[in-house]
Amino acid sequence: MSSKKINEEYQHQLIEKSAQHYWEKSQIFKVVEDKSKEKFYCLSMFPYPSGRLHMGHVRNYTIGDVISRYQRMQGKNVMQPMGWDAFGLPAENAAHKNNVPPASWTRDNIDYMRNQLKQLGLAYDWDRELATCNADYYRWEQWLFTRLYEKGLVYKKTAAVNWCPNDVTVLANEQVIDGKCWRCDTDVVRKEIPQWFFKITDYAEELLTELDSLDGWPEQVRTMQKNWIGRSEGVEIGFKIAGQDRNIKVFTTRPDTLMGVTYLAVAAEHDLAQQAAIQYDNVAAFVKQCTAVGTAEAVVESQEKLGIDTGFKAVHPVTGKQLPIFIANFVLMGYGEGAVMSVPAHDQRDWEFATKYGLPVQQVITDDNTNIDLNKQAFTEKGRLINSAEFDGLSSDDAFTKIADYLNKNHQGQVRTTYRLRDWGVSRQRYWGAPIPIINCDACGAVPVPDKDLPVVLPEDVTFEGVGSPIKKMPEFYETTCPKCGKAAIRETDTFDTFMESSWYYARYCSADSDTAMVDERANYWLPVDQYVGGIEHAILHLLYARFFNKLMRDAGLIKNDEPFKNLLTQGMVLKDGSKMSKSKGNTVDPQALIEKYGADTARLFMMFAAPPDQSLEWSDAGVEGAYRFIKRVWNVVMKHCQALEENTITNLNIDALNSEQRELRMKVHKAVAKVTDDIGRRYTFNTAIAAVMELMNSVTKFNDNSEQGLAVMQEALELIVLVLSPIIPHVTHELWQVLGHDENIVNHGWPQHDANALVQDEIQMIIQVNGKLRAKMMVASEASKDDIEQQAFKDENVQRFIEGMNVVKVIVVPKRLVNIVVKP
Ligand code: ANZ
Ligand code: ZN
């Protein structure tokens, strides 16, 4: 025991430095595969190296670290890695602003933030650190991309981008502010350019059905993904175009409403709309207005429904009636067929449109229990068919099949499943990203860069002059020769969407040092991630892309697991005065100042105590002070105890020799251990675990017993408190564990088991009187409260006989002796 520590004050700087130094020197968190042990892979979402950590990071990484340290104490082989999501637009913005190349800006930030993470005492295996901007990382996604190209899972097609005609450049969505360019305020337009896509739609069904197996994910996130994938069962119907020899296809989920169709509507980008635009100027103007920026679905939903008649007519497949074909701004080109059969009586959007343009509303579904008033709104529920000729009387569900069969027989329709999910466009016209490994040859077309020429390294020594990506102006980068025919050819200068890099980093950590494979055999030991921790803002895109990439890697034979993340914890936001901490609101608190003033343990304890991890956490200076005081209190109690140990004789704990106060404290200690174990291990309610230890500390502080067994009980209590707090406040507990007489490093100690025998309460006998006369005896827990004792007394049968029909005047409880019930007739 380092007796010189006794009576020293709690000095967080010294303590934290020394613990961190020890962990680093002993490489204690470095892990390798060990088949004899159960593995636990704990991953927190890696940060974008923006410059410095914010409180959201501190919260995220503390949660992951507490779980990791707890699992390690459970005897598992725990891997907890960390890295950097290092590509992205902010680095380019900084380059414009400060004239520093994105590469050096990013790497400086990484160095600073790595140091900050180390100051938080996070139990990472730093040997696995990766930065996605390094060629030894992104070369593997370039490699996979060329494999998938060969398999037909990536393809090229033209798609719209935001284009600034003044700067002559593509803009990211974030760079379009109120429809204008962020730099020059020019109106942004849409432009169609060739881009690369991943066929994520090939995996739509698996991505959807496997959600059911992810029972370690929050229901909310699974629902969000389900809606995003958006599976619809419906019928694709071909309407003949009057006077022409061709069809217009629509997709509907409600073929039961076929007889209520009164017009058709197509998207502005639809062929038919384009043809009408050639013929009529007003149609051309309307189409132009619709195809300007902002056809994102959210915009479409919110804007006023507008349309125009194309002049074309469609022929109803059952009645043969001619129906007008409109262009409508709420029909999306990217969904179904880009055309709808409109049923104003039973679809609200169609109803609003029909009402506005004076189109007929024809009811075909009814329901006896609903008061349907089609003058007010559409009736959108399913029901029973009317006004539908041979289909009258059918239920909507039966009609679905009957009408689909009818159309199928006439070669005018077939059942089809549609997904809202679109293929993933991965081309970005930005500089700071991984180059797309394609060479465009006039003769051979798009040719993937052969393995031997990978990686295609992004030039890092660049200057940002004017606008646009610097590599688009660097012939030394893009001028090359075709790998197929050897003639001069042009390298792709677009880069990958940065979601690419974050879609597989979790797998790369398993074999981060491999320079011969994307991931190797070691991944099959570690995957899937047992616990993933991160923000809810990634509930859809990042998690969906990562799940997709996992399946791509599986199908390329690289890994075996079907899903990447077994359990998902989405941490809540850090709020200040009720709103999210953010730079733009100017309400941030800098973690660095917090760590310097109070230490990492206080920061960690506050974060874990202030709220359950999945709920938002309100910043509180008083809460931080409270956390700091609590740590000091634990420190002082241990010091005081060690002083007493020096001044008194000590002995081993002898459970049979304890008096009732000693037994009582021991019971509280073991109850708390049981609760903390359940709260941390199963419920993930770290806040209630901490509250239990705080409450226990009150009893420990009051316990003043320097007898041999008193000190032994105290020693056990303090050891257990230090052990269960160690995942949360690892530095001070590292120190206190030694102060309590252990040489062994607390990190390698197992998680304590509570002593079930200690929880058994002592029982004592009490007598029950009615009006002073002995009527019964009962056994009562020695800790029982007055209320409990009273209640138990009233339950006694004999007592009930004597008070039946009487009024209870008062009840006197003499603890540990008797209860007297005073009654009157
Ligand atoms: C006729 C109908 C009648 C419809 C009715 C609905 C109710 P979900 O369920 O989301 O898949 N639709 C089809 N393609 C569209 C497109 N490109 N843009 C906008 N809307 C489109 O939606 C399927 C329904 O959305 C389809 O069923 C179609 O309208 C519309 F009482 O067809 B429905
Ligand atoms: Zn060629």
Side-chain angles (χ1 to χ4, degrees), residues 9-143:
E9 293 231 344
Y10 170 55
Q11 287 176 284
H12 63 84
Q13 292 100 334
L14 282 179
I15 290 167
E16 297 190 353
K17 264 223 179 68
S18 120
Q20 287 161 16
H21 178 72
Y22 174 82
W23 295 328
E24 182 136 11
K25 192 186 66 199
S26 58
Q27 298 217 332
I28 203 153
F29 301 117
K30 186 180 161 75
V31 273
V32 289
E33 304 69 46
D34 177 352
K35 292 238 163 71
S36 70
K37 272 184 171 176
E38 192 182 337
K39 66 93 183 177
F40 191 91
Y41 181 1
C42 186
L43 181 65
S44 293
M45 289 181 184
F46 64 169
Y48 176 76
S50 55
R52 36 201 307 133
L53 294 183
H54 57 64
M55 283 299 173
H57 292 130
V58 176
R59 189 174 191 199
N60 192 166
Y61 302 143
T62 302
I63 294 168
D65 197 52
V66 172
I67 295 170
S68 292
R69 287 174 178 268
Y70 171 82
Q71 292 294 345
R72 180 188 176 109
M73 290 176 84
Q74 291 291 332
K76 294 183 190 161
N77 195 28
V78 176
M79 169 162 83
Q80 197 190 195
M82 183 39 73
W84 310 96
D85 190 12
F87 275 137
L89 203 53
E92 291 187 45
N93 293 340
H96 277 293
K97 215 166 123 192
N98 314 324
N99 227 342
V100 282
S104 53
W105 181 82
T106 303
R107 296 211 167 85
D108 286 350
N109 287 348
I110 289 176
D111 288 340
Y112 185 81
M113 290 169 77
R114 183 193 302 108
N115 188 41
Q116 287 193 298
L117 290 178
K118 289 195 171 170
Q119 288 177 41
L120 279 171
L122 303 163
Y124 294 141
D125 178 354
W126 282 105
D127 285 358
R128 295 172 188 269
E129 180 182 2
L130 56 82
T132 58
C133 63
N134 292 339
D136 60 6
Y137 180 81
Y138 63 70
R139 70 175 290 187
W140 295 111
E141 75 196 38
Q142 292 177 334
W143 171 83

Side-chain angles (χ1 to χ4, degrees), residues 232 251-254 257 332 335 340-341 346-347 349 420:
S232 290
F251 173 74
T252 177
T253 47
R254 294 291 305 273
T257 64
L332 304 164
Y335 187 63
V340 301
M341 61 177 219
H346 303 293
D347 181 282
R349 287 187 304 187
R420 200 154 278 283

Side-chain angles (χ1 to χ4, degrees), residues 439-445 447 481-489:
I439 292 166
N440 295 307
C441 169
D442 282 343
C444 313
V447 181
T481 52
C482 169
K484 257 194 186 159
C485 69
K487 289 198 198 108

Side-chain angles (χ1 to χ4, degrees), residues 74 670 673-674 677 716 720 723-724 749-756:
Q74 291 291 332
H670 286 271
V673 170
T677 305
E716 186 198 28
L720 288 172
L723 278 170
V724 300
H749 198 281
W751 185 260
Q753 282 254 326
H754 71 269
D755 176 0

